[in-house]
Amino acid sequence: QSVLTQPPSASGTPGQRVTISCSGSSSNIGSNPVNWYRQVPGTAPKLLMYNNNQRPSGVPDQFSGSKSGTSASLAISGLQSDDEADYYCAAWDDILSGPVFGGGTKLTVL
Amino acid sequence: EVQLVESGGGLVQPGGSLRLSCATSGFTFRNYWMHWVRQAPGKGLVWVSRINGDESSTNHADSVKGRFTISRDNAKNTVYLQMDSLRAEDTAMYYCARARQYCTTISCYYDAFDIWGRGTMVTVSS
């Protein structure tokens, strides 16, 4: 059982915009920034977004992040087949004194 | 090139020990917090441990507290995870990750993992 809650799956067609939600509580998302990771099965995760909406260099602007209260979301526009991957949200938790992750959302491009 | 390379994983019996290593290169190692994150087969990511640049501060997840110990050798640019009293539920791919610092108007954070190793598999089974 993950501390942060994500839908297990999401899907869209090429060119479409999809959003992935991430729900937490006052001790994590409500108090601290959210980071997002992308993981192609069998490979290591990759940082996609940090501090809610900041993209590391090399991450295209088709990815955007937002946060409101105890929830956050990742939006992917102009969906492409190679966007298929697992997406994880994460945030520092003040009670657990460590980062906590969502359970991951498997994105499928139809 | 910035690189993290984990080693030390393998098959171990319940109650046994393993020491994971993460050799780094391409950046000023002592300036970064380093973390271990694990992923059980078919499951999600779970944070395990972290250590700051001068080894003065460490944290461990409750699930491994008292059994795992993180450490580092800044002369060797390497971070370690000593795992004792291993359990079946510790079976996972263990990733080493570098933490990027970023600051808000309120505080600075060291929990955005911008560089990851490829991982080393730990299997706890009799």
Side-chain angles (χ1 to χ4, degrees), chain A residues 8-86:
Chain A
S9 64
S11 63
T13 56
Q16 200 173 20
R17 181 178 186 269
V18 297
T19 60
I20 297 172
S21 62
C22 176
S23 177
S25 66
S26 59
S27 65
N28 42 66
I29 294 178
S31 307
N32 301 298
V34 177
N35 305 315
W36 289 89
Y37 300 89
R38 176 180 184 270
Q39 184 182 33
V40 174
T43 70
K46 173 188 172 183
L47 181 64
L48 201 60
M49 198 75 57
Y50 68 97
N51 194 14
N52 302 324
N53 55 17
Q54 303 300 301
R55 281 178 284 108
S57 60
V59 175
D61 60 6
Q62 73 170 128
F63 296 94
S64 61
S66 64
K67 187 184 97 166
S68 177
T70 59
S71 295
S73 63
L74 175 73
I76 308 171
S77 60
L79 206 58
Q80 303 170 24
S81 58
D82 58 3
D83 291 326
E84 285 200 339
D86 297 321

Side-chain angles (χ1 to χ4, degrees), chain A residues 31-33 35 37 39 43-47 50-51 56 88 91-92 96-99 101-103, chain B residues 35 37 39 43-47 50 59 62 95 100 102-104 109 111-114 116-118:
Chain A
S31 307
N32 301 298
N35 305 315
Y37 300 89
Q39 184 182 33
T43 70
K46 173 188 172 183
L47 181 64
Y50 68 97
N51 194 14
Y88 294 89
W92 183 265
L96 299 176
S97 295
F101 287 90
Chain B
H35 296 245
V37 176
Q39 185 172 35
K43 303 296 184 181
L45 302 170
V46 177
W47 173 77
R50 71 168 186 165
N59 298 91
D62 288 343
Y95 294 102
R100 172 185 184 141
Y102 62 96
C103 298
T104 67
Y109 292 85
D111 64 337
F113 308 139
D114 65 344
W116 295 68
R118 292 186 176 183

Side-chain angles (χ1 to χ4, degrees), chain B residues 16-123:
Chain B
S17 298
L18 275 179
R19 187 197 198 203
L20 306 184
S21 299
C22 172
T24 76
S25 59
F27 64 99
T28 306
F29 179 66
R30 64 180 179 274
N31 288 351
Y32 288 86
W33 284 79
M34 297 297 296
H35 296 245
W36 288 94
V37 176
R38 68 184 182 184
Q39 185 172 35
K43 303 296 184 181
L45 302 170
V46 177
W47 173 77
V48 175
S49 302
R50 71 168 186 165
I51 186 168
N52 70 343
D54 64 7
E55 207 172 2
S56 61
S57 179
T58 62
N59 298 91
H60 299 273
D62 288 343
S63 58
V64 307
K65 206 169 288 184
R67 301 188 298 122
F68 290 13
T69 304
I70 189 171
S71 63
R72 65 193 293 159
D73 185 335
N74 285 346
K76 295 183 178 179
N77 295 331
T78 300
V79 60
Y80 304 97
L81 187 66
Q82 177 67 42
M83 304 188 297
D84 298 319
S85 303
L86 282 161
R87 306 167 180 167
E89 54 265 35
D90 296 319
T91 294
M93 181 71 80
Y94 283 74
Y95 294 102
C96 168
R98 186 183 83 169
R100 172 185 184 141
Q101 177 187 332
Y102 62 96
C103 298
T104 67
T105 55
I106 298 173
S107 184
C108 287
Y109 292 85
Y110 307 90
D111 64 337
F113 308 139
D114 65 344
I115 304 293
W116 295 68
R118 292 186 176 183
T120 186
M121 186 67 199
V122 172
T123 302

